[in-house]
Amino acid sequence: EKIFGMFAEAFDAFSRTENDLRIKTKAGGVISLVAVMVMVVLAISEVSIYTQTDVVGRLYVDPSIGEDLEIYLDITFPHLPCALLSVNAMDKTGDSQLNLHDEIFTVRLGKDGNPIPFIEKIKEDVSGERHLNEKTEDKGECGSCYGAETEEKPCCRTCEDVKMAYSLKGWAYSASSLLKFKQCIQEDVKKTAQEQKGEGCNVHGAIRVHRVAGQINIIVGNIVLRNSYFTIDASPFDVDGKFAFNMSHTINAFSFGKSYPGMQNPLDKVSKIWNGTSGSVMYDYYAKVVPTKYEFLDGMTLSTNQFSIIESSTPVQDGYDSSGTPGVFILYDLSPITASFKETPRSFLHLLINLMAILGGIFTVASLVDSFLYGSLQRLEKTTELGR
């Protein structure tokens, strides 16, 4: 045992000196306090980093087939009434969702930008009784489609149902013919547009489409099917007898799916201002969609999409012609590559190594600084004594 002790002492890297031979200085005390504070700050910072997660990304070919694509939108038009706007979704498979009103919600906005509360109109009949304005669908009645009935749709409850039935038949209709239909007389789109003149509109909701290239558009007027072609019918909306629609808008939020931590959508908070006095403008946004999967630390996986955007605008002066259509068009195409992100925990061993490196490094640097200051002061004192 004595031999082993002597052998171990030969390799001692931490030799000690007697306490009586140690010298404590004020400078050494200050350096020690500063070193301890720096150690504590860096150690807390390192522990804070350890509590966070690393995100590892990779790319691979997208194998998903037949999955739907969810599109979330929230767009404000400060100078266009809700009665003028329609939301439509089309894709390259030929599938189209026209004049959406079940998935998409509109909120009327006043000139100050605040929502206008809905107030049911009250009318007075011949007998003098006052009662709420009744609509066909409120009574549960289903009226005529005026010759456009089918087995799937034998009747029409609303003016929109009548227009859809005519579109499916490929029949045309005009503003004057609309006002001959009972459902449209009750709704009276043109009168509604006139009443909402000067208002704005917020359009928001979610649309589910096929996972293929397509477009979402918000236009002035309605898209109808006539002789197997899609056309835009805006005749009921020419309220002032002139073609002038202010398509200024703010995209509050737009995404192809739900968001994951740190995700940024390039169309969020985008604003476009149009100051023309006549005509209108067509805004085009071209989106390249990248399917994305994000796996959280608990194993839950979120399937969503990132996208990049290119934008352009085209003035429209003479109505709905080859120069364009007043509206906001978001055209999208999907990338065959999928981006995958996975949260992974940080290594505890890595934390210990970093903490030891911090403590040892600061202690070594503090020792060097203390030795340098102590040696400098000693030399200065000797020089002073020799000068005397």
Side-chain angles (χ1 to χ4, degrees):
E1 182 178 352
K2 185 177 181 180
I3 297 175
F4 175 77
M6 294 175 61
F7 179 78
E9 288 179 359
F11 289 92
D12 184 10
F14 306 101
S15 56
R16 300 289 186 271
T17 58
E18 296 293 337
N19 290 332
D20 295 339
L21 299 177
R22 293 183 179 182
I23 300 175
K24 294 184 179 182
T25 63
K26 294 180 180 179
V30 173
I31 293 174
S32 299
L33 290 175
V34 173
V36 170
M37 287 189 292
V38 173
M39 287 180 187
V40 172
V41 171
L42 292 181
I44 293 175
S45 175
E46 192 64 32
V47 172
S48 175
I49 294 174
Y50 169 74
T51 59
Q52 301 174 4
T53 56
D54 285 325
V55 179
V56 180
R58 67 186 183 95
L59 299 175
Y60 61 92
V61 177
D62 184 13
S64 59
I65 299 176
E67 296 182 5
D68 288 336
L69 185 66
E70 286 186 322
I71 300 176
Y72 300 91
L73 59 88
D74 183 351
I75 305 177
T76 298
F77 297 87
H79 305 295
L80 275 180
C82 292
L84 300 185
L85 298 173
S86 68
V87 183
N88 310 276
M90 304 175 182
D91 60 45
K92 285 192 174 182
T93 64
D95 187 27
S96 58
Q97 303 177 54
L98 305 180
N99 310 316
L100 293 167
H101 51 79
D102 292 332
E103 303 88 349
I104 297 298
F105 305 93
T106 57
V107 178
R108 294 170 57 188
L109 304 176
K111 293 183 178 180
D112 57 358
N114 295 322
I116 298 176
F118 175 76
I119 301 176
E120 189 71 57
K121 290 186 179 180
I122 297 179
K123 69 176 183 180
E124 190 170 317
D125 60 15
V126 179
S127 63
E129 290 186 357
R130 292 167 59 82
H131 55 84
L132 290 179
N133 209 359
E134 297 177 347
K135 295 182 180 180
T136 305
E137 65 268 23
D138 296 333
K139 297 179 180 179
E141 299 177 357
C142 197
S144 171
C145 293
Y146 305 94
E149 294 86 353
T150 62
E151 292 184 1
E152 295 79 10
K153 195 171 188 63
C155 58
C156 297
R157 295 182 183 275
T158 65
C159 182
E160 193 65 36
D161 290 342
V162 176
K163 292 190 287 185
M164 186 62 68
Y166 265 59
S167 297
L168 293 175
K169 287 282 188 179
W171 297 350
Y173 57 83
S174 62
S176 58
S177 63
L178 284 177
L179 296 179
K180 293 179 182 179
F181 301 150
K182 181 180 178 181
Q183 295 91 330
C184 297
I185 292 174
Q186 290 177 334
E187 297 180 15
D188 197 350
V189 178
K190 187 172 183 178
K191 183 179 179 181
T192 302
Q194 183 66 49
E195 291 175 350
Q196 295 183 9
K197 183 179 178 182
E199 295 181 2
C201 186
N202 173 260
V203 180
H204 64 276
I207 308 172
R208 184 178 291 272
V209 297
H210 297 307
R211 188 176 283 273
V212 295
Q215 67 164 280
I216 301 293
N217 61 66
I218 304 175
I219 61 171
V220 176
N222 292 315
I223 293 181
V224 297
L225 182 65
R226 295 177 179 172
N227 300 323
S228 301
Y229 290 96
F230 288 113
T231 60
I232 299 175
D233 177 38
S235 53
F237 306 143
D238 190 11
V239 179
D240 296 325
K242 63 179 182 179
F243 183 84
F245 301 109
N246 190 335
M247 294 304 304
S248 298
H249 62 276
T250 298
I251 303 177
N252 304 308
F254 187 93
S255 65
F256 293 91
K258 298 180 180 179
S259 298
Y260 58 81
M263 181 176 178
Q264 294 182 345
N265 296 310
L267 282 181
D268 289 357
K269 308 303 180 184
V270 170
S271 294
K272 299 295 178 183
I273 306 299
W274 184 73
N275 297 316
T277 56
S278 63
S280 188
V281 64
M282 178 175 69
Y283 292 101
D284 292 312
Y285 298 95
Y286 302 92
K288 191 67 174 181
V289 181
V290 179
T292 303
K293 295 185 183 298
Y294 192 94
E295 184 177 344
F296 293 91
L297 200 59
D298 58 3
M300 186 181 70
T301 300
L302 172 66
S303 295
T304 183
N305 301 275
Q306 303 178 83
F307 65 98
S308 59
I309 205 75
I310 299 176
E311 58 186 64
S312 66
S313 60
T314 305
V316 182
Q317 297 296 336
D318 300 320
Y320 297 82
D321 55 16
S322 58
S323 63
T325 300
V328 174
F329 293 78
I330 302 176
L331 300 92
Y332 57 89
D333 194 7
L334 281 88
S335 168
I337 302 298
T338 294
S340 174
F341 299 97
K342 182 178 181 179
E343 292 183 348
T344 57
R346 295 180 183 269
S347 170
F348 182 72
L349 181 61
H350 188 266
L351 171 66
L352 292 179
I353 294 174
N354 286 349
L355 288 176
M356 287 188 290
I358 289 172
L359 298 177
I362 294 177
F363 181 79
T364 301
V365 171
S367 299
L368 292 175
V369 172
D370 179 63
S371 299
F372 174 77
L373 288 177
Y374 181 76
S376 299
L377 291 174
Q378 289 295 317
R379 287 192 295 271
L380 182 62
E381 289 179 0
K382 289 181 178 180
T383 303
T384 304
E385 291 177 357
L386 292 175
R388 292 176 181 175

